[in-house]
mmCIF file of all heavy atoms in Angstrom:
data_model
loop_
_atom_site.group_PDB
_atom_site.id
_atom_site.type_symbol
_atom_site.label_atom_id
_atom_site.label_comp_id
_atom_site.label_asym_id
_atom_site.label_seq_id
_atom_site.Cartn_x
_atom_site.Cartn_y
_atom_site.Cartn_z
ATOM 1 N N ALA A 1226 44.759 -47.476 -22.839
ATOM 2 C CA ALA A 1226 44.320 -48.190 -21.686
ATOM 3 C C ALA A 1226 43.404 -47.420 -20.843
ATOM 4 O O ALA A 1226 42.414 -47.855 -20.281
ATOM 5 C CB ALA A 1226 45.604 -48.545 -20.858
ATOM 6 N N ALA A 1227 43.636 -46.044 -20.758
ATOM 7 C CA ALA A 1227 42.753 -45.181 -19.964
ATOM 8 C C ALA A 1227 41.408 -45.043 -20.659
ATOM 9 O O ALA A 1227 40.334 -45.069 -20.021
ATOM 10 C CB ALA A 1227 43.422 -43.810 -19.769
ATOM 11 N N ALA A 1228 41.439 -44.873 -22.002
ATOM 12 C CA ALA A 1228 40.173 -44.658 -22.744
ATOM 13 C C ALA A 1228 39.292 -45.866 -22.711
ATOM 14 O O ALA A 1228 38.072 -45.722 -22.752
ATOM 15 C CB ALA A 1228 40.487 -44.192 -24.116
ATOM 16 N N SER A 1229 39.888 -47.068 -22.684
ATOM 17 C CA SER A 1229 39.137 -48.255 -22.826
ATOM 18 C C SER A 1229 38.347 -48.620 -21.533
ATOM 19 O O SER A 1229 37.584 -49.630 -21.540
ATOM 20 C CB SER A 1229 40.062 -49.413 -23.154
ATOM 21 O OG SER A 1229 40.929 -49.691 -22.073
ATOM 22 N N ARG A 1230 38.440 -47.760 -20.573
ATOM 23 C CA ARG A 1230 37.661 -48.056 -19.362
ATOM 24 C C ARG A 1230 36.150 -47.883 -19.663
ATOM 25 O O ARG A 1230 35.294 -48.537 -19.042
ATOM 26 C CB ARG A 1230 37.989 -47.024 -18.242
ATOM 27 C CG ARG A 1230 39.351 -47.293 -17.595
ATOM 28 C CD ARG A 1230 39.767 -46.251 -16.588
ATOM 29 N NE ARG A 1230 39.805 -44.926 -17.230
ATOM 30 C CZ ARG A 1230 40.131 -43.819 -16.565
ATOM 31 N NH1 ARG A 1230 40.388 -43.822 -15.313
ATOM 32 N NH2 ARG A 1230 40.195 -42.637 -17.198
ATOM 33 N N ASP A 1231 35.788 -46.974 -20.608
ATOM 34 C CA ASP A 1231 34.380 -46.767 -20.848
ATOM 35 C C ASP A 1231 33.972 -46.719 -22.340
ATOM 36 O O ASP A 1231 32.904 -46.256 -22.650
ATOM 37 C CB ASP A 1231 33.950 -45.467 -20.196
ATOM 38 C CG ASP A 1231 34.807 -44.231 -20.535
ATOM 39 O OD1 ASP A 1231 35.575 -44.389 -21.517
ATOM 40 O OD2 ASP A 1231 34.698 -43.223 -19.902
ATOM 41 N N ARG A 1232 34.895 -47.181 -23.194
ATOM 42 C CA ARG A 1232 34.528 -47.154 -24.634
ATOM 43 C C ARG A 1232 35.427 -48.081 -25.436
ATOM 44 O O ARG A 1232 36.569 -48.413 -24.945
ATOM 45 C CB ARG A 1232 34.610 -45.772 -25.196
ATOM 46 C CG ARG A 1232 35.978 -45.102 -25.175
ATOM 47 C CD ARG A 1232 35.802 -43.705 -25.587
ATOM 48 N NE ARG A 1232 36.557 -42.818 -24.693
ATOM 49 C CZ ARG A 1232 36.870 -41.603 -25.020
ATOM 50 N NH1 ARG A 1232 36.671 -41.145 -26.222
ATOM 51 N NH2 ARG A 1232 37.565 -40.855 -24.192
ATOM 52 N N ASN A 1233 34.963 -48.512 -26.557
ATOM 53 C CA ASN A 1233 35.766 -49.409 -27.407
ATOM 54 C C ASN A 1233 36.925 -48.598 -28.053
ATOM 55 O O ASN A 1233 36.631 -47.614 -28.718
ATOM 56 C CB ASN A 1233 34.917 -50.046 -28.480
ATOM 57 C CG ASN A 1233 33.910 -51.053 -27.942
ATOM 58 O OD1 ASN A 1233 34.273 -51.756 -27.019
ATOM 59 N ND2 ASN A 1233 32.792 -51.117 -28.525
ATOM 60 N N CYS A 1234 38.093 -49.145 -27.934
ATOM 61 C CA CYS A 1234 39.275 -48.371 -28.389
ATOM 62 C C CYS A 1234 40.237 -49.345 -29.156
ATOM 63 O O CYS A 1234 40.377 -50.526 -28.831
ATOM 64 C CB CYS A 1234 40.047 -47.877 -27.220
ATOM 65 S SG CYS A 1234 41.531 -46.888 -27.617
ATOM 66 N N LEU A 1235 40.859 -48.797 -30.236
ATOM 67 C CA LEU A 1235 41.808 -49.513 -31.007
ATOM 68 C C LEU A 1235 43.098 -48.688 -30.968
ATOM 69 O O LEU A 1235 43.075 -47.489 -31.192
ATOM 70 C CB LEU A 1235 41.377 -49.717 -32.491
ATOM 71 C CG LEU A 1235 42.426 -50.243 -33.441
ATOM 72 C CD1 LEU A 1235 42.690 -51.723 -33.123
ATOM 73 C CD2 LEU A 1235 41.963 -50.128 -34.869
ATOM 74 N N VAL A 1236 44.225 -49.317 -30.575
ATOM 75 C CA VAL A 1236 45.537 -48.658 -30.585
ATOM 76 C C VAL A 1236 46.351 -49.247 -31.696
ATOM 77 O O VAL A 1236 46.463 -50.538 -31.804
ATOM 78 C CB VAL A 1236 46.274 -48.736 -29.250
ATOM 79 C CG1 VAL A 1236 46.421 -50.173 -28.745
ATOM 80 C CG2 VAL A 1236 47.589 -47.960 -29.275
ATOM 81 N N VAL A 1237 46.913 -48.462 -32.566
ATOM 82 C CA VAL A 1237 47.557 -48.926 -33.822
ATOM 83 C C VAL A 1237 49.017 -48.384 -33.847
ATOM 84 O O VAL A 1237 49.220 -47.185 -33.689
ATOM 85 C CB VAL A 1237 46.811 -48.413 -35.062
ATOM 86 C CG1 VAL A 1237 47.497 -48.954 -36.314
ATOM 87 C CG2 VAL A 1237 45.354 -48.778 -35.016
ATOM 88 N N SER A 1238 49.981 -49.242 -34.048
ATOM 89 C CA SER A 1238 51.338 -48.843 -34.259
ATOM 90 C C SER A 1238 51.641 -48.801 -35.779
ATOM 91 O O SER A 1238 51.452 -49.750 -36.441
ATOM 92 C CB SER A 1238 52.327 -49.840 -33.592
ATOM 93 O OG SER A 1238 53.660 -49.499 -34.018
ATOM 94 N N THR A 1239 52.125 -47.581 -36.202
ATOM 95 C CA THR A 1239 52.490 -47.445 -37.658
ATOM 96 C C THR A 1239 53.997 -47.325 -37.747
ATOM 97 O O THR A 1239 54.496 -47.033 -38.833
ATOM 98 C CB THR A 1239 51.804 -46.198 -38.257
ATOM 99 O OG1 THR A 1239 52.354 -45.061 -37.644
ATOM 100 C CG2 THR A 1239 50.384 -46.294 -38.142
ATOM 101 N N ASP A 1240 54.730 -47.466 -36.692
ATOM 102 C CA ASP A 1240 56.128 -47.365 -36.623
ATOM 103 C C ASP A 1240 56.745 -48.722 -37.046
ATOM 104 O O ASP A 1240 56.435 -49.749 -36.448
ATOM 105 C CB ASP A 1240 56.693 -46.972 -35.233
ATOM 106 C CG ASP A 1240 58.177 -46.631 -35.211
ATOM 107 O OD1 ASP A 1240 58.887 -47.047 -36.126
ATOM 108 O OD2 ASP A 1240 58.586 -46.055 -34.211
ATOM 109 N N PRO A 1241 57.603 -48.775 -38.151
ATOM 110 C CA PRO A 1241 58.176 -50.046 -38.558
ATOM 111 C C PRO A 1241 58.880 -50.779 -37.419
ATOM 112 O O PRO A 1241 58.984 -51.993 -37.388
ATOM 113 C CB PRO A 1241 59.100 -49.678 -39.655
ATOM 114 C CG PRO A 1241 58.619 -48.381 -40.179
ATOM 115 C CD PRO A 1241 58.050 -47.661 -39.048
ATOM 116 N N ALA A 1242 59.457 -49.997 -36.494
ATOM 117 C CA ALA A 1242 60.143 -50.670 -35.331
ATOM 118 C C ALA A 1242 59.151 -50.793 -34.205
ATOM 119 O O ALA A 1242 59.115 -50.005 -33.214
ATOM 120 C CB ALA A 1242 61.348 -49.757 -34.882
ATOM 121 N N HIS A 1243 58.263 -51.791 -34.373
ATOM 122 C CA HIS A 1243 57.149 -51.954 -33.416
ATOM 123 C C HIS A 1243 57.646 -52.332 -32.022
ATOM 124 O O HIS A 1243 58.542 -53.104 -31.857
ATOM 125 C CB HIS A 1243 56.205 -53.020 -33.922
ATOM 126 C CG HIS A 1243 55.523 -52.701 -35.186
ATOM 127 N ND1 HIS A 1243 54.735 -51.620 -35.386
ATOM 128 C CD2 HIS A 1243 55.557 -53.394 -36.413
ATOM 129 C CE1 HIS A 1243 54.275 -51.637 -36.646
ATOM 130 N NE2 HIS A 1243 54.793 -52.635 -37.285
ATOM 131 N N SER A 1244 56.956 -51.678 -31.027
ATOM 132 C CA SER A 1244 57.221 -52.076 -29.674
ATOM 133 C C SER A 1244 55.943 -52.124 -28.825
ATOM 134 O O SER A 1244 55.975 -52.281 -27.616
ATOM 135 C CB SER A 1244 58.219 -51.092 -28.987
ATOM 136 O OG SER A 1244 57.784 -49.765 -29.069
ATOM 137 N N LEU A 1245 54.781 -51.960 -29.547
ATOM 138 C CA LEU A 1245 53.515 -51.962 -28.866
ATOM 139 C C LEU A 1245 53.236 -53.289 -28.156
ATOM 140 O O LEU A 1245 52.812 -53.303 -26.999
ATOM 141 C CB LEU A 1245 52.383 -51.689 -29.884
ATOM 142 C CG LEU A 1245 50.983 -51.336 -29.319
ATOM 143 C CD1 LEU A 1245 51.047 -50.049 -28.521
ATOM 144 C CD2 LEU A 1245 50.009 -51.234 -30.481
ATOM 145 N N GLY A 1246 53.553 -54.389 -28.847
ATOM 146 C CA GLY A 1246 53.360 -55.685 -28.248
ATOM 147 C C GLY A 1246 54.278 -55.906 -26.981
ATOM 148 O O GLY A 1246 53.839 -56.480 -25.985
ATOM 149 N N ASP A 1247 55.515 -55.350 -27.053
ATOM 150 C CA ASP A 1247 56.403 -55.440 -25.927
ATOM 151 C C ASP A 1247 55.838 -54.738 -24.712
ATOM 152 O O ASP A 1247 55.910 -55.177 -23.586
ATOM 153 C CB ASP A 1247 57.793 -54.882 -26.313
ATOM 154 C CG ASP A 1247 58.483 -55.673 -27.394
ATOM 155 O OD1 ASP A 1247 58.169 -56.871 -27.512
ATOM 156 O OD2 ASP A 1247 59.236 -55.069 -28.147
ATOM 157 N N ILE A 1248 55.239 -53.564 -24.939
ATOM 158 C CA ILE A 1248 54.736 -52.751 -23.816
ATOM 159 C C ILE A 1248 53.473 -53.450 -23.211
ATOM 160 O O ILE A 1248 53.340 -53.340 -21.967
ATOM 161 C CB ILE A 1248 54.429 -51.361 -24.332
ATOM 162 C CG1 ILE A 1248 55.733 -50.609 -24.602
ATOM 163 C CG2 ILE A 1248 53.524 -50.552 -23.446
ATOM 164 C CD1 ILE A 1248 55.543 -49.217 -25.247
ATOM 165 N N PHE A 1249 52.693 -54.114 -24.032
ATOM 166 C CA PHE A 1249 51.550 -54.792 -23.460
ATOM 167 C C PHE A 1249 51.869 -56.187 -23.008
ATOM 168 O O PHE A 1249 51.028 -56.888 -22.490
ATOM 169 C CB PHE A 1249 50.431 -54.843 -24.503
ATOM 170 C CG PHE A 1249 49.567 -53.603 -24.539
ATOM 171 C CD1 PHE A 1249 49.729 -52.664 -25.509
ATOM 172 C CD2 PHE A 1249 48.538 -53.399 -23.627
ATOM 173 C CE1 PHE A 1249 48.953 -51.492 -25.571
ATOM 174 C CE2 PHE A 1249 47.805 -52.281 -23.617
ATOM 175 C CZ PHE A 1249 47.999 -51.303 -24.621
ATOM 176 N N ASP A 1250 53.150 -56.608 -23.185
ATOM 177 C CA ASP A 1250 53.646 -57.920 -22.739
ATOM 178 C C ASP A 1250 52.849 -59.065 -23.447
ATOM 179 O O ASP A 1250 52.557 -60.085 -22.853
ATOM 180 C CB ASP A 1250 53.423 -58.096 -21.196
ATOM 181 C CG ASP A 1250 54.650 -57.584 -20.450
ATOM 182 O OD1 ASP A 1250 55.708 -57.384 -21.070
ATOM 183 O OD2 ASP A 1250 54.515 -57.309 -19.268
ATOM 184 N N ARG A 1251 52.570 -58.856 -24.737
ATOM 185 C CA ARG A 1251 51.947 -59.916 -25.490
ATOM 186 C C ARG A 1251 52.128 -59.665 -26.964
ATOM 187 O O ARG A 1251 52.230 -58.438 -27.427
ATOM 188 C CB ARG A 1251 50.442 -60.012 -25.131
ATOM 189 C CG ARG A 1251 49.666 -58.764 -25.388
ATOM 190 C CD ARG A 1251 48.266 -58.888 -24.894
ATOM 191 N NE ARG A 1251 47.578 -60.059 -25.403
ATOM 192 C CZ ARG A 1251 46.436 -60.504 -24.950
ATOM 193 N NH1 ARG A 1251 45.852 -59.928 -23.956
ATOM 194 N NH2 ARG A 1251 45.824 -61.589 -25.465
ATOM 195 N N PRO A 1252 52.204 -60.638 -27.845
ATOM 196 C CA PRO A 1252 52.344 -60.429 -29.247
ATOM 197 C C PRO A 1252 51.098 -59.791 -29.866
ATOM 198 O O PRO A 1252 49.974 -60.134 -29.419
ATOM 199 C CB PRO A 1252 52.566 -61.841 -29.806
ATOM 200 C CG PRO A 1252 51.991 -62.764 -28.779
ATOM 201 C CD PRO A 1252 52.177 -62.111 -27.450
ATOM 202 N N ILE A 1253 51.299 -58.913 -30.800
ATOM 203 C CA ILE A 1253 50.165 -58.276 -31.453
ATOM 204 C C ILE A 1253 50.172 -58.601 -32.949
ATOM 205 O O ILE A 1253 49.397 -59.355 -33.442
ATOM 206 C CB ILE A 1253 50.174 -56.745 -31.200
ATOM 207 C CG1 ILE A 1253 49.948 -56.504 -29.677
ATOM 208 C CG2 ILE A 1253 49.035 -56.064 -32.017
ATOM 209 C CD1 ILE A 1253 49.884 -55.023 -29.293
ATOM 210 N N GLY A 1254 51.105 -57.996 -33.680
ATOM 211 C CA GLY A 1254 51.221 -58.326 -35.090
ATOM 212 C C GLY A 1254 50.247 -57.560 -35.989
ATOM 213 O O GLY A 1254 49.562 -56.613 -35.571
#
């Protein structure tokens, strides 16, 4: 979130127990 202020950024979850979508309050998949 900090880096995306001034550049294109991709955040990737490789943990089978995903919680990235929960933290962003939206489904990712």
Side-chain angles (χ1 to χ4, degrees):
S1229 66
R1230 288 176 299 182
D1231 54 12
R1232 60 189 135 159
N1233 288 326
C1234 181
L1235 173 68
V1236 58
V1237 182
S1238 171
T1239 67
D1240 189 341
H1243 296 299
S1244 55
L1245 192 63
D1247 297 331
I1248 287 173
F1249 277 100
D1250 273 344
R1251 59 187 306 168
I1253 295 180

